[in-house]
């Protein structure tokens, strides 16, 4: 199917975002769960053909070598294809020639991180936030915390055994509980939104095992179960175990606990 036809077909499906499925909450009650367009799980990152897109941008640059949009997007494709140093060189050159755009700062930060230069990454992510605080739906504050956690781990490899990226404690019982920091609905929604957004971007770039991603997934799994449904929490905890957080034992227990709500009731 031609790509343009596929895009047009997708754009004709907005009504599907109003559909709701029924799942169980942690009290065993049926709750409606919205089915977001294109999202079938709590983590809805989407697969893309980065090699195909890279070829498109390179063709555009052959026609118009000064097309900064195509150059930027070529760098993004290279980063996703694990060619981070090539991508970094592109964004360094773009910032040097025309400093100021938010996207350049954010892409520099991400590429520095992918190249293992977390201090430089933190510097540029902070600059990106200064340039556009609302970018990435206002969730880049979590990217800062992720980089701060990685720098702490570089100094102390056991840091995550006594800390967490967000500093949240969902308790040690089988059933999680909201931390004091998430007493309000607004605070819960803010953190869950940031976790979903940042993990959707991070997981396609960071292969397991990764304890920082595992730590974030542990928090999101607990939040998803408490806010949405046991099934959503179960899905995220499965990813958490795959990325191997420092909460493996408790994550396994909660995974089984969340999964128990999906079992069919005897007739």
């Amino acid at each position: 199917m031609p790509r343009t036809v596929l895009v047009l077909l997708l754009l004709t499906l907005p009504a599907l975002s109003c559909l709701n499925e029924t799942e169980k909450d942690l009290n065993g009650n049926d709750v409606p769960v919205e089915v977001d367009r294109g999202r079938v799980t709590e983590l809805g990152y989407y697969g893309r053909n980065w090699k195909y897109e890279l070829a498109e941008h390179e063709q555009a640059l052959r026609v118009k070598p000064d097309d900064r949009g195509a150059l930027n997007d070529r760098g993004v494709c290279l980063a996703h294809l694990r060619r981070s140093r090539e991508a970094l060189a592109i964004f360094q050159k773009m910032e040097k020639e025309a400093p100021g755009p938010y996207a350049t700062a954010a892409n520099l930060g991400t590429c520095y991180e992918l190249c293992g230069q977390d201090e430089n990454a933190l510097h540029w992510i902070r600059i990106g936030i200064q340039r556009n605080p609302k970018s990435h739906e206002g969730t880049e504050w979590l990217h800062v915390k992720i980089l701060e956690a990685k720098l702490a781990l570089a100094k102390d490899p056991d840091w995550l055994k006594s800390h967490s990226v967000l500093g949240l404690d969902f308790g040690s019982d089988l059933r999680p509980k909201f931390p004091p920091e998430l007493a309000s609905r607004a605070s819960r929604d803010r953190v869950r939104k940031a976790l979903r957004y940042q993990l959707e971007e991070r997981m396609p770039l960071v292969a397991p095992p990764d304890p920082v991603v595992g730590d974030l997934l542990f928090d999101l799994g607990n939040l998803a179960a408490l806010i949405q449904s046991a099934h959503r929490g179960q899905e995220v905890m499965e990813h958490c175990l795959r990325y191997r957080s420092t909460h493996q034992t408790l994550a396994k227990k909660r995974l089984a606990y969340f999964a128990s709500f999906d079992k069919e009731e005897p007739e």
Side-chain angles (χ1 to χ4, degrees):
M1 180 184 295
R3 190 179 182 195
T4 53
V5 175
L6 176 60
V7 170
L8 288 172
L9 283 174
L10 289 173
L11 290 176
T12 64
L13 300 176
L16 293 182
S17 64
C18 297
L19 295 174
N20 287 272
E21 295 177 321
T22 299
E23 296 175 358
K24 300 286 187 182
D25 65 15
L26 294 184
N27 294 315
N29 300 318
D30 288 339
V31 290
V33 178
E34 182 178 331
V35 181
D36 299 331
R37 183 165 64 123
R39 183 191 303 278
V40 293
T41 64
E42 180 73 4
L43 289 161
Y45 51 87
Y46 315 107
R48 290 170 62 176
N49 189 334
W50 294 107
K51 288 184 179 179
Y52 175 83
E53 293 188 33
L54 176 62
E56 283 193 324
H57 298 314
E58 290 180 339
Q59 175 59 30
L61 288 166
R62 282 191 284 272
V63 175
K64 187 178 179 182
D66 60 347
D67 186 337
R68 290 182 62 83
L71 184 61
N72 177 86
D73 294 348
R74 178 174 182 266
V76 171
C77 290
L78 289 172
H80 277 277
L81 292 169
R82 305 294 192 268
R83 295 164 62 179
S84 307
R85 295 193 180 281
E86 293 176 68
L88 177 60
I90 287 174
F91 298 123
Q92 287 173 327
K93 185 172 184 290
M94 291 181 70
E95 178 68 18
K96 182 177 181 180
E97 292 178 347
Y102 159 77
T104 309
N107 289 336
L108 272 169
T110 299
C111 287
Y112 270 120
E113 183 180 1
L114 291 172
C115 291
Q117 301 180 44
D118 290 331
E119 287 191 11
N120 285 334
L122 181 58
H123 171 76
W124 281 103
I125 292 299
R126 284 173 170 163
I127 288 178
I129 292 174
Q130 290 172 2
R131 291 179 180 179
N132 184 1
K134 296 181 180 179
S135 178
H136 291 206
E137 299 183 16
T139 68
E140 281 291 81
W141 62 267
L142 180 51
H143 197 169
V144 168
K145 283 190 171 292
I146 291 169
L147 289 166
E148 290 173 343
K150 291 179 69 177
L151 290 170
L153 279 168
K155 295 178 180 178
D156 177 10
D158 293 327
W159 185 82
L160 275 174
K161 292 181 180 179
S162 55
H163 300 79
S164 72
V165 177
L166 285 170
L168 301 175
D169 183 3
F170 289 87
S172 57
D173 296 334
L174 201 56
R175 178 180 178 135
K177 60 183 179 181
F178 286 115
E181 298 90 338
L182 302 184
S184 69
R185 179 171 180 175
S187 62
R188 298 168 189 174
D189 290 344
R190 175 176 180 266
V191 169
R192 178 168 170 257
K193 174 183 176 181
L195 284 166
R196 293 177 78 187
Y197 195 103
Q198 291 293 320
L199 283 167
E200 284 176 14
E201 293 200 334
R202 179 164 293 267
M203 288 172 67
L205 292 167
V206 180
D210 186 286
V212 171
V213 172
D215 184 78
L216 297 172
L217 286 165
F218 183 73
D219 285 351
L220 180 59
N222 289 314
L223 268 178
L226 288 166
I227 295 176
Q228 279 280 76
S229 69
H231 181 70
R232 296 297 171 103
Q234 174 191 344
E235 289 175 333
V236 180
M237 282 301 177
E238 289 171 352
H239 287 294
C240 173
L241 292 175
R242 190 162 58 91
Y243 273 86
R244 301 196 63 79
S245 79
T246 56
H247 306 283
Q248 288 293 96
T249 300
L250 184 55
K252 287 179 182 177
K253 291 179 180 179
R254 285 192 177 156
L255 172 61
Y257 174 63
F258 298 157
S260 70
F261 290 90
D262 272 347
K263 294 180 180 177
E264 293 185 6
E265 297 180 1
E267 296 182 359

